[in-house]
Amino acid sequence: MRILLTGGSASGKSTYAEKLSLLLPPPHYYIATMEVMDEEARKKVIRHQGMRAGKGFITIERPKDLGGLDFDEAGTILVECLCNLLANEMFDREGRMLDVYNKILDDLEELEKKSRNLILVTNEVGSDGYPYGPGTQAYIQLLGRLNRAFAARFDSLAELAAGIPLVLKGELP
Amino acid sequence: MILVIGGVGSGKRDYVRELGYEDSMVADAVMDERPVLYNLQNLVFPHPEKAMDLFDALLEKDLVVCHEVGSGIIPALAHDRAGREAVGRLCSRLAARAEKVVRMVCGIPVILKEDLS
């Protein structure tokens, strides 16, 4: 099954996503999309590694191009997270914007084919109503469109609020 | 303790009044003997690293009310990022212990959790 998990920052998405993954059959792959550029990112990665320690996840660091990944055995894939993946895909080194909507949908479809279960974590970034510049506005729009596309395609959708899952579509394991 | 969360203008204050708490019973981002703590996020933001120090005292309140602050673009400043992370984590921890968790959406209280015991 394919599950989309959304929610704001620090709403409990990672904790819940890992818990859900472990309810599904092994092997458990964890695809980390965050590029470690500074100390704060490093601390976040270490915190998440600590949360996963001893749970048997196979961690794959992959900031973009997820479609090209191969797996020894079809298992349960947890992708964390779409918000970092999109930022990595849509802005190149020079800060130019690329149209990556279809590419991301296709890359994730590859993962769906190569797994038995897929959990994708995303984020809610469009609810502060602040008038950002064009690059950030484009990012907010595109993440919203991708969230809708995955929610429509996947079997289940849940939103986390204060650590509590609200099932908006389908069922959770 | 009942935890009430929601965005700006979502109806949290009206909901507190509907539960029978007059404004004089509501403490705005200060810890004192009043039964309702409002604007928890404003208590957390100045010192995000100390957020969990509030935990035990918050559990003693009748009502704790907090803005949901995590559903926008991640702020450019490290201190702002730390603040919203701390608010979100504290709310998750409070929700785990609360008898009831309510999220206001367009003035409508959505019950996220309710202990019937």
Side-chain angles (χ1 to χ4, degrees):
Chain A
M1 80 186 298
R2 297 155 304 168
I3 304 167
L4 182 66
L5 291 181
T6 190
S9 294
S11 59
K13 299 186 297 292
S14 300
T15 307
Y16 192 70
E18 286 164 25
K19 194 171 130 190
L20 271 189
S21 290
L22 296 175
L23 294 174
L24 296 163
H28 297 110
Y29 299 101
Y30 179 95
I31 303 179
T33 59
M34 188 162 74
E35 284 190 283
V36 180
M37 310 270 233
D38 58 19
E39 192 49 33
E40 186 178 339
R42 207 181 320 278
K43 276 185 187 158
K44 188 161 187 141
V45 167
I46 289 168
R47 194 179 75 84
H48 279 197
Q49 282 170 345
M51 281 161 61
R52 292 198 306 279
K55 293 179 183 165
F57 281 99
I58 300 160
T59 299
I60 302 164
E61 291 190 28
R62 184 87 164 186
K64 55 184 186 177
D65 302 319
L66 302 193
L69 285 171
D70 283 305
F71 303 87
D72 295 337
E73 193 184 335
T76 298
I77 298 176
L78 167 54
V79 179
E80 177 131 18
C81 62
L82 182 60
C83 41
N84 278 316
L85 176 68
L86 175 61
N88 298 338
E89 294 272 12
M90 82 178 278
F91 299 105
D92 70 11
R93 293 282 173 206
E94 283 76 43
R96 282 181 302 235
M97 259 193 284
L98 311 168
D99 183 6
V100 292
Y101 178 76
N102 286 317
K103 176 185 189 297
I104 290 178
L105 289 178
D106 292 348
D107 276 351
L108 266 293
E109 196 175 357
E110 285 295 309
L111 289 190
E112 290 167 41
K113 286 178 191 157
K114 293 171 184 172
S115 63
R116 291 163 69 191
N117 296 288
L118 178 69
I119 299 175
L120 176 62
V121 175
T122 185
N123 205 325
E124 294 293 317
V125 298
S127 294
D128 58 9
Y130 185 84
Y132 292 99
T136 305
Q137 289 288 9
Y139 171 83
I140 295 170
Q141 279 284 345
L142 195 46
L143 187 58
R145 278 176 67 207
L146 285 167
N147 283 348
R148 281 185 278 143
F150 284 119
R153 186 161 102 187
F154 282 12
D155 307 290
S156 306
L157 164 67
E159 182 194 6
L160 273 290
I164 298 167
L166 304 166
V167 180
L168 303 176
K169 176 185 175 181
E171 289 176 1
L172 296 178
Chain B
M1 186 268 290
I2 299 174
L3 176 67
V4 181
I5 60 173
V8 175
S10 59
K12 298 185 294 299
R13 194 178 295 264
D14 284 350
Y15 182 68
V16 170
R17 289 179 186 134
E18 273 171 35
L19 291 179
Y21 293 95
E22 293 168 20
D23 289 357
S24 62
M25 301 159 90
V26 178
D28 190 346
V30 288
M31 293 301 277
D32 58 21
E33 72 291 343
R34 284 176 284 183
V36 181
L37 188 277
Y38 200 83
N39 280 331
L40 171 62
Q41 77 286 346
N42 290 342
L43 263 183
V44 173
F45 283 145
H47 303 287
E49 71 287 355
K50 292 184 183 162
M52 284 309 295
D53 294 353
L54 301 164
F55 187 71
D56 290 339
L58 289 168
L59 291 179
E60 300 298 317
K61 296 282 179 189
D62 289 7
L63 270 180
V64 174
V65 185
C66 189
H67 280 190
E68 275 191 292
V69 296
S71 292
I73 280 292
I74 294 162
L77 297 175
H79 180 80
D80 296 345
R81 289 195 293 274
R84 62 208 275 291
E85 289 276 323
V87 170
R89 296 232 174 81
L90 180 58
C91 281
S92 294
R93 296 275 299 270
L94 289 169
R97 293 281 298 275
E99 286 100 54
K100 185 170 174 177
V101 181
V102 180
R103 180 201 227 177
M104 298 305 297
V105 182
C106 301
I108 294 169
V110 178
I111 311 296
L112 302 186
K113 171 185 167 179
E114 186 156 29
D115 278 347
L116 298 172
S117 54

